[in-house]
């Protein structure tokens, strides 16, 4: 199919050269060139098959899950740091006010 699109683009370019390129011809050349370039780019990325849309949706879901996991890890780390800091503060206050001797 890319060959047919490339052939159409070549025909439009030839027509533009022969006829002096009116506005409709130039628009058609630009459109066909854009479509051909997009098709080539998708083919180079391996996204020119019918399952490409499903693959991209799965990749987006995987990326979203990865971001959620990172966010959860950071929340857990911050939570543990706050708990440890609070425990150290309470231990320090207990030692300062002599509650340590009551525990012994």
């Amino acid at each position: 199919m890319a060959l047919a699109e490339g052939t159409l683009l070549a025909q439009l370019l030839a027509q533009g050269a022969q006829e002096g390129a009116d506005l409709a011809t130039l628009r058609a050349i630009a459109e066909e060139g854009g479509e051909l370039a997009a098709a080539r780019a998708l083919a180079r990325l391996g996204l020119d098959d019918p399952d490409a849309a499903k693959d991209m949706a799965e990749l987006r879901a995987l990326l979203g899950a990865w971001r959620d996991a990172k966010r959860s890890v950071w929340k857990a780390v911050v939570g543990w740091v706050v708990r440890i800091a609070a425990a150290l503060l309470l231990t320090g206050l207990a030692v300062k006010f002599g509650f340590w001797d009551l525990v012994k």
Side-chain angles (χ1 to χ4, degrees):
M1 185 162 171
L3 180 62
E5 291 174 1
T7 303
L8 181 57
L9 180 59
Q11 289 172 350
L12 287 170
L13 286 171
Q15 180 183 351
Q18 290 173 357
E19 296 179 6
D22 61 350
L23 184 59
T25 303
L26 291 176
R27 284 185 179 169
I29 289 170
E31 185 177 333
E32 288 298 320
E35 288 181 12
L36 182 60
R40 285 181 183 169
L42 289 173
R44 286 181 184 152
L45 292 172
L47 297 173
D48 57 342
D49 62 340
D51 294 331
K54 186 181 84 164
D55 293 341
M56 290 302 295
E58 288 177 359
L59 285 172
R60 286 186 178 136
L62 183 61
L63 183 59
W66 171 254
R67 289 178 179 155
D68 290 343
K70 282 195 320 185
R71 194 174 312 123
S72 296
V73 166
W74 279 113
K75 285 182 181 181
V77 167
V78 169
W80 277 103
V81 168
V82 168
R83 286 184 189 108
I84 290 170
L88 289 173
L89 178 65
L90 288 175
T91 303
L93 288 173
V95 169
K96 182 173 182 171
F97 291 117
F99 291 120
W100 195 258
D101 295 332
L102 295 175
V103 175
K104 287 183 179 182

